[in-house]
C-alpha cells in the first residue's frame, strides 16, 4: 500500500460553551468513509464515553448532541498529511488544523489528546499558539488493543472530572 495525501474531511464539533477539546490525530480510513469521528466499530471511543456519562448515543446526530450537551468539542490535530491507510506510524508532511481559531470561539480550557500521535503533533504545531498543555490519554483505536476497555474508562474519567471542575 502506498501513501496517499489526505485532507481532513470533517468539521469540528463544538458549541460556544465547549469547555474541553478532545483531539485525535486524523480520522481513520473507516471514519473518512463514514464521514464521522471514530466510526470504526472496533474503536472504543464512543463506548468509553458512553460508560463514563451513562448515556449511549447511537446515531451521528445523537453523538453530536451528546458532545454538545457535555460541553465537549471534537476535532483532530492534522489538517492534511501523507499516510498509508490508517497507520499513524506512516504519517508525514503534516499540516495542522487551526485549533487556535476554534479555541477563540469557545470556552475551551482543557485539551485532551487521544493518543501519543495526537499529542506529538499538537505539541509540535499547536501548543506554541494555544499555550494550553494537552493531557494525553491512551488511544481508543483497535491498534492499541493492549490497553483494555476498563483501563481506558479509568483514564478517560478525567474528562468528567475536568467538566465538573470547569463548571464550578
Amino acid at each position: 500500500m502506498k501513501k496517499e495525501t489526505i485532507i481532513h474531511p470533517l468539521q469540528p464539533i463544538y458549541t460556544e460553551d465547549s469547555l474541553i477539546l478532545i483531539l485525535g490525530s486524523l480520522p481513520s480510513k473507516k471514519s473518512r468513509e463514514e464521514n464521522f469521528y471514530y466510526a470504526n466499530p472496533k474503536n472504543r471511543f464512543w463506548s468509553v464515553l458512553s460508560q463514563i456519562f451513562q448515556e449511549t448515543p447511537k446515531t451521528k446526530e445523537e453523538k453530536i448532541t451528546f458532545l454538545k450537551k457535555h460541553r465537549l468539542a471534537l476535532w483532530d490535530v492534522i489538517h492534511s498529511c501523507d499516510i498509508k491507510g490508517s497507520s499513524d506510524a506512516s504519517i508525514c508532511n503534516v499540516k495542522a488544523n487551526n485549533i487556535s481559531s476554534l479555541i477563540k470561539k469557545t470556552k475551551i480550557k482543557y485539551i485532551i489528546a487521544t493518543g501519543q500521535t495526537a499529542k506529538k503533533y499538537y505539541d509540535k504545531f499547536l501548543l506554541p499558539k494555544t499555550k494550553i498543555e494537552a493531557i494525553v490519554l491512551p488511544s481508543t483505536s483497535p491498534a492499541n488493543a493492549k490497553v483494555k476497555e476498563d483501563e481506558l474508562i479509568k483514564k478517560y474519567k478525567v474528562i468528567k472530572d475536568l467538566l465538573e471542575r470547569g463548571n464550578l
Side-chain angles (χ1 to χ4, degrees):
M1 176 184 297
K2 70 179 203 134
K3 286 188 181 186
E4 59 180 318
T5 300
I6 300 296
I7 308 279
H8 195 293
L10 306 174
Q11 293 299 311
I13 299 170
Y14 70 96
T15 68
E16 291 177 4
D17 288 330
S18 295
L19 192 63
I20 297 174
L21 173 57
I22 301 172
L23 282 175
S25 52
L26 182 76
S28 68
K29 190 172 178 70
K30 180 70 172 166
S31 292
R32 294 190 304 266
E33 288 168 2
E34 297 290 327
N35 201 34
F36 198 67
Y37 294 93
Y38 302 99
N40 183 332
K42 292 182 179 171
N43 189 302
R44 297 160 295 168
F45 180 83
W46 293 110
S47 173
V48 167
L49 286 186
S50 292
Q51 291 182 65
I52 289 167
F53 288 97
Q54 299 295 298
E55 294 175 46
T56 309
K58 296 195 182 327
T59 66
K60 288 179 190 180
E61 293 74 21
E62 288 173 354
K63 289 173 182 176
I64 291 168
T65 300
F66 169 87
L67 291 168
K68 291 178 176 181
K69 171 185 170 185
H70 292 291
R71 300 180 70 188
L72 302 173
L74 186 59
W75 207 11
D76 291 304
V77 174
I78 299 172
H79 168 72
S80 66
C81 69
D82 295 336
I83 188 171
K84 285 184 190 174
S86 295
S87 169
D88 281 356
S90 73
I91 292 172
C92 63
N93 299 323
V94 170
K95 289 190 177 65
N97 272 317
N98 188 351
I99 304 296
S100 296
S101 71
L102 178 67
I103 290 171
K104 287 177 185 158
K105 299 177 200 171
T106 66
K107 296 178 181 168
I108 290 170
K109 292 183 189 171
Y110 308 104
I111 294 180
I112 304 289
T114 61
Q116 292 298 329
T117 303
K119 172 86 163 109
K120 171 181 149 183
Y121 291 114
Y122 175 80
D123 286 353
K124 181 176 181 177
F125 294 109
L126 301 166
L127 178 59
K129 295 173 185 162
T130 66
K131 310 284 193 256
I132 302 172
E133 279 290 337
I135 298 165
V136 65
L137 297 177
S139 172
T140 57
S141 165
N144 190 28
K146 69 181 183 290
V147 179
K148 301 296 176 223
E149 190 160 315
D150 288 352
E151 184 64 22
L152 289 171
I153 292 165
K154 284 181 196 165
K155 300 268 188 194
Y156 275 72
K157 278 187 178 163
V158 72
I159 294 171
K160 197 168 183 185
D161 295 342
L162 290 171
L163 284 170
E164 288 168 4
R165 185 183 318 160
N167 285 327
L168 296 177

